Amino acid sequence: MHYLTGTPAARYDVVVVGSGASALTTAATAAQAGKSVIVLEKSQLLGGTSAVSGGMLWIANNHHAAAAGLADSTAAASDYVRAVARGRGRGELLNAALEHGDTMLRFVEEELDVRFIFLDNFPDYRMDLPGARDGGRTVEPQLVNQRAALGALAGHVRTDGRLPYTMQEYENWGAFTSFPWDMLEKRSADGVTAKGHALVTMLLGACVQRGVAFAVQARGVRLVRTGERVTGVELEGGETITANDAVMLATGGFEWDRKLTDSLLASRLYTMCSPPSNTGDGLKMAQRIGSMTRGTREAWWAPMSITGTLRDGEPVGSLLRFERQGPGSIMVNRNGQRFANEAQNYNDLARCLQSWDSPNNRTLNTPAHVVFDQSYLERYGVMDHRAGQPTPDYLVEADTLEELAAKIGVPAQNLLAAVARFNKHAAIGADPDFHRGESAYDRYWGDENCPWPNPSLGPLQYGPYYALEVVNGAFGTNGGIATDGRGRVLDVDGHPIDGLFAAGNATESAYAAGYPGAGATLGPMMTMGYLAGRTIAGLEPERTMGAAADDAAAGAVAAVPA
């Protein structure tokens, strides 16, 4: 155990295990109310999965949208999330996320000085469902100078290794071939950071200003109880940190524990992009004292490729976004046929890759590959590869489609037919088979300078041709410890365990199997962290004027069936 800030002590009011966004929100909220707080991080770096994420927050009916005149309501958001969750969401958690999301957002902005960019045109992920909006529910962190904000602590924050650009800039610039790399290099040299790294930086700064202590290499292994109350955490090194008021478990998911993922998840998980320290420690600690678990079949699913990227020395997956959404690429299954709208949101697309079928866990659609041509590579590049460079090992290259089919093991006649049919319709901006490019979400992630009618569609034109294997991946699991709507951990009979709270990917997701939009991970997680911090401090969550007015106009949010 190594202290980074604060005076070493054996007792604090609040002990927070984990250092991602939900953990830091809890810590800062409790510290703001005068509580002494320590944050314990298992690894050597702070920030958890949040620090390597896009850092976006999905907050329905938020004050930024209201100020911009974008109509929204908690009731409409409830209708939408209930549909996205496929009827499996638990009303208490969903209502907490929707009713208090903007309260949390105002708190971290006004009290903690966390700054966001309002994305007025970022569509929800399922524009076909009732209550969806084509913009206004997502915010992302502003750029921040990490060295100025954190000083020496900056070197102890986890990073995704990318140069600093916002997701708004990513969408505006399109493919990586259009990025102003020299400017981004200068930003990095100056200490500027973006996305999840920026969010964690600002939350860390707020915690440090309020006297929160931080310790790394401090793995919690067991909860300490005095009678029926949780009163501390035993660490792997044998130390015990005592909590006067509460312990918060915010340790991330269990995606790096293969035995757990194979026994609990609904589908085989082949790769992930989270820190390897996410092995379900919080879940295991809570289970040892009888906590209820829920939603453990699910994860934040995403189609990924394995390109040789390492995190803490372990190989991690790379999310496929523009590689499959940009005009001029398609995705085919093991039969050489298209099987889905390649431009749809990653959570739903990944479900097309899932099953436990044998032999070798192959499904109808796997192995799957993104297929594109030389013209695509010249326009956009793929991952970190650019036209004119030696072809990396993660790409399969062939002069013709027939040769490519042979190399990836699919019927050549099927691949040729798939490309011919796709090309015919893409040239006129249509996809009658899977409706790619019809939704606002599809078009948002396309190329607005596309030479063809639809920003999501374009034909494959000439060789060489390339294939990039796609596997079922995840940002992290999102089920586990069951809590109430204030973050209090529930036992197997549904009663709160005295002194124990949980938030983040260690817990059951407020949106169950659904993924409403960009930031639907961090939005409800930080909201639960805020609610837990207020509850621990003996404070009721404040209600914004907007939320109160919305309730008066539309009535309380309808409960979602359990």
Side-chain angles (χ1 to χ4, degrees), residues 33-54:
K35 297 295 182 180
S36 62
V37 184
I38 185 171
V39 172
L40 303 173
E41 168 56 44
K42 170 183 180 179
S43 72
Q44 296 186 50
L45 297 171
L46 300 169
T49 306
S50 303
V52 298
S53 74

Side-chain angles (χ1 to χ4, degrees), residues 204-222:
L204 278 171
C207 286
V208 171
Q209 290 172 12
R210 287 156 181 77
V212 175
F214 284 89
V216 295
Q217 296 175 288
R219 181 184 187 184
V221 294
R222 197 170 300 275

